Amino acid sequence: MSIILCRRRLLGTGALGAGGLILSGCDKLNANPAFRSALIEAGSWHEGAQRALGSGALAREYSEADMSPNFRVNGNTNPEDASYKSHAATDFAGWTLSVDGLVKRPLALPMTAIKAMQQRKQITRHDCVEGWSAIGQWQGPQLGQILSMAGLLPSARYAVFHCADRFGSSPYYESIDLVDAFHPQTILAWEMNGQPLSIGHGAPLRLRVERQLGYKQAKYVMRIELRDSLAGLFGGKGGYWEDAHDYQWYAGI
Amino acid sequence: MPETETALPKTASAEAAPPAPPATTPQSGDLVRRHRLSTRLWHWANALALFIMLMSGMMIFNAHAHLYWGEFGANPDRNWLTLGTGQLNAFPGWATIPSNYSLADARIWHLAFAWILLIGAPLYLLWSLVNGHLWRDLLFRRGELRPSHIWHDIKEHARLRFPTGAEALKYNVLQKGAYLGVLLVLLPLIILTGLAMSPGADATTHVSALFGGRQSARSVHFIVAAGFALFIVVHLVMVVLAGPFNEVRSMVTGWYRLPLDKGAK
């Protein structure tokens, strides 16, 4: 009996010790570059699985009755940039979207041209990485239409969105691959819930890439750059949050 | 919790054989084979994965500590649960991975270790159907679900009277309920609600509709995670009460010593 009691005490002490080791050990592993990149690698298999199982799937679209009564704003809600502010003062009448990089015909599209293109209107769910969701209606031309106008060079692999907002000294940017760029629900929205996009929601143009999380929905889009690689651009990970905090570049999960 | 799988030593002529002769019935104090390799591997993989999923999951929850029912739900909307305050995180650093606030790092852990549950649970369920573990050891037998029988088992548990001898090789009705609950309810729900929250997986499967929307799925994910936490606590308490050395050994090596009758020797 005393042997059993000893064993019990030993196991109890062991469990407590193991608990402490787990906690400090996890933080050490979290900071260990090899372990961390192994975790990131395993996480990226979700991208492969989702691409293999449903690269053409459509995100669910909702009816007007399903919409959030109050769609909250998030991230940067009022860019400080002087040039942006002067555009805002004139309701973005002089805003142009540049499309350049690996394209046959670089474009400079004024807002009137973007609004005159064939439009797609969709009521979709915006899923923030933090966990909340809001449902709103978005309207704008399909990104694929704009990219086709510019004509992609065969080496183009990614569409990079350069934005007018910044965190500290880092400009906001995001990128998607061509599967998402030519997905029918990927649009450049200038209208939300039947109104021109508000500044808080990304006026005058924001990306909607519906099968990914909120941080991919770049606001204040000034320029779309077609690239063959994300390396060499800012932190090289394809987006502001990806560079700054190791958010997943593929934000379908 | 005492667990069972392969109880009696196999006899050569199984079909016509009468009940195993007393000589081959394991006795109190015998060391017997108990958990097969697949069970032991899966158990420890899950033990690791569940702790990491719970701890990184609590950190992810800290990023938005409100829960809602329905498709949408954000700060302006009516929530049914809020934990923590503006100043204080819902879950403290000693319980989370990492221990300092980082949604990004918690997601790196959570999405990597999710594979263990995502692959392990269906494989184990399938293997348990093939090798008979599910219907032989886990599914309820006739009469076991009688209220009087369940009540009897609850009383025995409350008095800390556990089966001894060969009887200890069979799951009792409460154990079966707990293990079936994990295998057939908690694990499938945690996987499906996890997929429902992934905008990419949800576009392909529309699985969030099963739960009445993404925010409902997120709420169910949280409740099921709490169910896992409760299971782990009860499971560990029962292991300690039933004899931790013998129980842990059986889940590591597969060998289990049949408990002695109370008062014997």
Side-chain angles (χ1 to χ4, degrees):
Chain A
M1 202 61 190
S2 68
I3 291 172
I4 290 172
L5 279 177
C6 271
R7 279 173 178 165
R8 274 186 194 176
R9 197 171 302 146
L10 195 68
L11 280 164
T13 320
L16 280 180
L21 277 179
I22 286 170
L23 286 173
S24 63
C26 286
D27 281 345
K28 285 210 181 75
L29 286 173
N30 191 47
N32 177 300
F35 186 81
R36 198 178 168 84
S37 60
L39 287 183
I40 291 172
E41 172 64 27
S44 74
W45 300 339
H46 292 286
E47 176 188 353
Q50 292 191 4
R51 280 282 188 262
L53 296 175
S55 66
L58 292 179
R60 181 158 168 215
E61 293 191 25
Y62 298 86
S63 72
E64 286 187 23
D66 301 321
M67 284 164 52
S68 296
N70 184 351
F71 196 123
R72 66 165 278 190
V73 295
N74 196 41
N76 285 326
T77 53
N78 195 2
E80 294 294 314
D81 183 68
S83 159
Y84 179 85
K85 283 200 175 303
S86 68
H87 277 296
T90 57
D91 280 339
F92 305 100
W95 190 270
T96 49
L97 172 74
S98 322
V99 183
D100 56 30
L102 299 173
V103 295
K104 292 175 191 148
R105 297 171 292 276
L107 306 173
L109 295 170
M111 288 303 293
T112 47
I114 288 167
K115 292 176 185 176
M117 294 173 80
Q118 196 188 342
Q119 304 286 302
R120 190 176 205 279
K121 193 180 273 194
Q122 56 201 31
I123 299 177
T124 51
R125 199 184 62 218
H126 177 97
D127 296 329
C128 178
V129 64
E130 293 171 351
W132 53 268
S133 307
I135 297 178
Q137 185 192 62
W138 307 93
Q139 184 186 311
Q142 288 175 321
L143 178 64
Q145 205 184 154
I146 294 173
L147 297 184
S148 300
M149 273 173 71
L152 267 50
L153 293 175
S155 53
R157 289 284 175 277
Y158 300 97
V160 178
F161 303 84
H162 295 274
C163 306
D165 58 325
R166 50 180 62 235
F167 283 95
S169 60
S170 306
Y172 201 89
Y173 79 106
E174 259 305 340
S175 59
I176 56 178
D177 64 9
L178 298 187
V179 172
D180 270 325
F182 284 93
H183 186 267
Q185 288 172 319
T186 301
I187 65 174
L188 277 178
W190 57 273
E191 199 180 83
M192 175 191 179
N193 295 352
Q195 304 287 325
L197 214 48
S198 68
I199 289 179
H201 283 295
L205 273 180
R206 102 178 280 180
L207 174 68
R208 293 299 311 171
V209 48
E210 298 296 353
R211 299 176 302 170
Q212 300 209 38
L213 295 172
Y215 60 89
K216 301 298 281 191
Q217 323 296 331
K219 304 195 278 191
Y220 319 111
V221 176
M222 307 183 292
R223 174 183 168 217
I224 302 172
E225 179 191 8
L226 278 297
R227 294 178 65 95
D228 59 352
S229 159
L230 299 171
L233 181 67
F234 301 111
K237 293 177 181 169
Y240 166 76
W241 287 106
E242 291 88 329
D243 287 341
H245 294 287
D246 268 344
Y247 274 52
Q248 288 80 16
W249 174 79
Y250 178 75
I253 183 156
Chain B
M1 294 191 183
E3 311 180 26
T4 25
E5 263 170 23
T6 47
L8 302 177
K10 287 199 176 94
T11 47
S13 53
E15 324 83 56
T24 60
T25 305
Q27 305 290 311
S28 291
D30 284 357
L31 205 54
V32 295
R33 287 295 287 176
R34 193 193 198 192
H35 299 299
R36 53 170 72 79
L37 183 64
S38 56
T39 296
R40 286 178 275 143
L41 285 174
W42 189 62
H43 171 272
W44 292 112
N46 274 356
L48 174 75
L50 278 176
F51 267 98
I52 286 170
M53 295 307 274
L54 284 169
M55 293 171 78
S56 57
M58 286 190 283
M59 170 57 73
I60 293 172
F61 183 82
N62 278 348
H64 188 78
H66 314 285
L67 292 173
Y68 314 86
W69 295 116
E71 281 287 355
F72 65 80
N75 308 55
D77 305 310
R78 200 164 63 102
N79 65 65
W80 67 267
L81 181 73
T82 293
L83 295 180
T85 64
Q87 319 295 321
L88 207 64
N89 280 332
F91 294 106
W94 58 260
T96 61
I97 294 177
S99 59
N100 60 314
Y101 178 84
S102 174
L103 169 61
D105 288 4
R107 277 173 55 83
I108 289 174
W109 285 75
H110 208 74
L111 302 186
F113 279 88
W115 285 111
I116 296 182
L117 301 185
L118 195 64
I119 293 172
L123 274 187
Y124 187 76
L125 188 56
L126 201 68
W127 185 233
S128 296
L129 284 170
V130 169
N131 69 16
H133 180 38
L134 188 72
W135 49 264
R136 191 172 339 105
D137 303 318
L138 288 173
L139 288 184
F140 298 112
R141 305 244 169 254
R142 201 184 323 175
E144 270 185 338
L145 287 178
R146 278 198 327 270
S148 62
H149 179 84
I150 295 174
W151 180 236
H152 171 78
D153 258 24
I154 291 174
K155 282 190 295 189
E156 291 291 292
H157 271 74
R159 291 171 184 147
L160 305 183
R161 282 213 299 248
F162 302 124
T164 56
E167 196 56 25
L169 284 173
K170 280 190 287 191
Y171 291 136
N172 59 60
V173 66
L174 298 183
Q175 280 178 291
K176 286 184 177 181
Y179 297 143
L180 284 175
V182 167
L183 188 59
L184 301 182
V185 180
L186 295 187
L187 278 168
L189 279 179
I190 208 81
I191 291 171
L192 291 176
T193 51
L195 289 172
M197 284 187 286
S198 149
D202 194 39
T204 306
T205 61
H206 291 224
V207 63
S208 69
L210 278 183
F211 300 95
R214 181 180 193 249
Q215 289 302 319
S216 292
R218 184 168 171 264
S219 290
V220 172
H221 199 72
F222 183 89
I223 292 166
V224 173
F228 273 115
L230 179 69
F231 169 80
I232 290 171
V233 168
V234 173
H235 182 65
L236 291 181
V237 167
M238 296 306 289
V239 164
V240 168
L241 291 176
F245 180 80
N246 196 25
E247 294 294 331
V248 173
R249 172 178 59 191
S250 72
M251 198 43 91
V252 172
T253 67
W255 290 95
Y256 177 73
R257 191 175 297 283
L258 293 181
L260 298 171
D261 294 325
K262 275 271 154 59
K265 289 184 193 163

